[in-house]
């Protein structure tokens, strides 16, 4: 399994490498650090006989040294330079070429510490990527193995791809799986009915997950509610090594991402990494190695 990591020599790039490393530890996954350059930027890997002394090439070579130095010992990683019209396009092309199961990027640099701020690159990926996208919150530096997975199950049926990925990943990693349904009490409709519907759906998913996971594998369910989605998120307890999994919006094209309004609210309040799974996504040989 390969993970494409969107890398630049910035705090955001370091966040992405840390998250990719944490997610790769239990998988034996290979990291592909991808540096996307403008189509007019020369680089020695594209022109081995060229002059290595240009300022542009020196910047790329420095980024390669810095990026690979962030990868913990024991993980396999390579650095790639790709020329593309945009950073997001370069990452998507790389993921398709390398048959990667995941694209990992960091938050924009102007956000709050340990929170997500969706920059241009992440926004483009969240509306076009054909593979799962993992987003590291600003300042994320933990590279120990993931300790728990949380799946947002919503109040309605659907998001089967995300459910399948969460169950498969929890089993493969041997980590607890928490199912969370978030209820916004200020929306139209009876609050009591919304909470009751959330409990029913979450427990239905819990029963299905328990049947698919090995006996004794820890799986739990929580229904969190508040006047807003952000308030519901803040009412939950989060492990330092936790990752949240959400499904793509129903508005998404088949096998593509499109993050909906609820997931956007979750993302901005979430203190841990988030992985977004494309609608109806399924690898030919296996589910993505989240």
């Amino acid at each position: 399994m390969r993970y494409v990591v969107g890398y630049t020599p910035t705090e955001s790039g370091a966040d992405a490498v840390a998250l990719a490393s944490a997610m790769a530890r239990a998988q034996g996954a290979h990291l592909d650090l991808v540096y996307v350059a403008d189509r007019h930027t020369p680089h020695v890997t594209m022109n081995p006989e060229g002059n290595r002394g240009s300022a542009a090439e020196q910047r790329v070579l420095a980024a390669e040294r810095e990026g690979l130095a962030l990868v913990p010992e024991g993980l396999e990683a390579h650095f790639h330079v790709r020329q593309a019209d945009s950073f997001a396009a370069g990452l998507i092309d790389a993921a398709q070429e390398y048959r990667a199961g995941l694209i990992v990027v960091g938050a924009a640099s102007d956000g709050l510490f340990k929170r997500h701020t969706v920059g241009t690159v992440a926004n483009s990926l969240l509306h076009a990527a054909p593979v799962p996208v993992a987003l590291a919150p600003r300042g994320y530096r933990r590279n120990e193995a993931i300790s728990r997975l949380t799946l947002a199950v919503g109040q309605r049926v659907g998001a089967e791809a995300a459910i399948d990925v969460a169950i498969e990943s929890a089993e493969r990693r041997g980590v607890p799986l928490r199912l969370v349904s978030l209820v916004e009490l200020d929306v139209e409709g009876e609050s009591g009915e919304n909470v009751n519907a959330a409990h029913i759906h979450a427990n239905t998913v819990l029963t299905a997950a328990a049947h698919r996971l090995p006996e004794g594998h820890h799986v739990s369910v929580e229904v969190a509610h508040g006047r807003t989605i952000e308030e519901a998120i803040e009412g939950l307890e989060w492990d330092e090594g936790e990752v949240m999994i959400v499904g793509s919006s129903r508005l998404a094209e088949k096998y593509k991402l499109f993050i909906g309004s609820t997931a956007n609210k979750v993302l901005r309040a979430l203190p841990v990494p988030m992985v977004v799974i494309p609608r109806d996504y399924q690898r030919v040989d296996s589910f993505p190695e989240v």
Side-chain angles (χ1 to χ4, degrees):
M1 174 54 58
R2 300 173 73 168
Y3 294 167
V4 162
V5 186
Y7 182 74
T8 55
T10 62
E11 292 295 308
S12 177
D15 295 341
V17 174
L19 175 57
S21 299
M23 299 185 73
R25 280 190 180 277
Q27 309 295 327
H30 172 94
L31 303 185
D32 290 296
L33 275 60
V34 176
Y35 181 103
V36 180
D38 182 88
R39 292 193 181 277
H40 303 292
T41 300
H43 185 254
V44 293
T45 59
M46 299 173 186
N47 181 18
E49 304 303 322
N51 176 18
R52 294 170 180 256
S54 73
E57 291 184 349
Q58 288 301 318
R59 282 195 297 270
V60 176
L61 290 170
E64 180 176 3
R65 290 192 299 270
E66 294 171 19
L68 292 177
L70 294 172
V71 179
E73 187 176 352
L75 290 178
E76 184 180 359
H78 286 90
F79 188 90
H80 310 268
V81 179
R82 297 185 73 93
Q83 291 178 314
D85 293 328
S86 71
F87 201 94
L91 296 181
I92 290 173
D93 288 346
Q96 292 175 322
E97 180 180 333
Y98 306 151
R99 296 182 60 81
L102 191 68
I103 296 174
V104 186
V105 294
S109 60
D110 58 350
L112 295 174
F113 186 67
K114 293 294 180 71
R115 286 295 186 271
H116 294 269
T117 300
V118 180
T120 303
V121 175
N123 187 61
S124 296
L125 291 171
L126 290 173
H127 290 83
V131 298
V133 172
L135 303 168
R138 182 171 178 261
Y140 190 85
R141 287 297 185 273
R142 176 190 166 89
N143 57 32
E144 292 85 1
I146 299 303
S147 61
R148 182 170 72 174
L149 293 174
T150 285
L151 170 67
V153 296
Q155 300 174 52
R156 298 172 293 179
V157 297
E160 283 79 8
I163 293 171
D164 288 336
V165 167
I167 293 172
E168 294 277 338
S169 299
E171 179 179 7
R172 188 172 53 251
R173 292 176 178 277
V175 298
L177 174 62
R178 177 174 65 159
L179 309 174
V180 168
S181 187
L182 303 169
V183 182
E184 188 173 15
L185 299 180
D186 277 355
V187 299
E188 293 182 4
E190 295 294 330
S191 296
E193 291 181 5
N194 290 341
V195 173
N196 186 52
H199 275 284
I200 292 172
H201 178 50
N203 279 286
T204 299
V205 178
L206 173 67
T207 301
H211 280 113
R212 291 174 57 181
L213 289 166
E215 185 176 354
H217 194 115
H218 189 265
V219 56
S220 60
V221 64
E222 291 184 45
V223 174
H225 50 78
R227 290 171 299 172
T228 63
I229 289 295
E230 293 86 348
E231 189 175 282
I233 286 286
E234 290 171 0
L236 290 167
E237 292 185 0
W238 300 95
D239 289 349
E240 285 188 7
E242 189 154 14
V243 168
M244 187 173 199
I245 298 173
V246 303
S248 184
S249 166
R250 291 172 177 79
L251 297 175
E253 297 178 26
K254 197 169 186 179
Y255 308 123
K256 290 289 183 70
L257 280 182
F258 185 90
I259 188 168
S261 59
T262 299
N264 233 321
K265 293 175 184 177
V266 170
L267 182 61
R268 296 180 188 281
L270 195 65
V272 300
M274 174 189 276
V275 177
V276 188
I277 309 298
R279 177 177 168 238
D280 299 325
Y281 182 80
Q282 183 175 336
R283 288 182 65 88
V284 174
D285 54 343
S286 67
F287 289 104
E289 305 278 346
V290 171

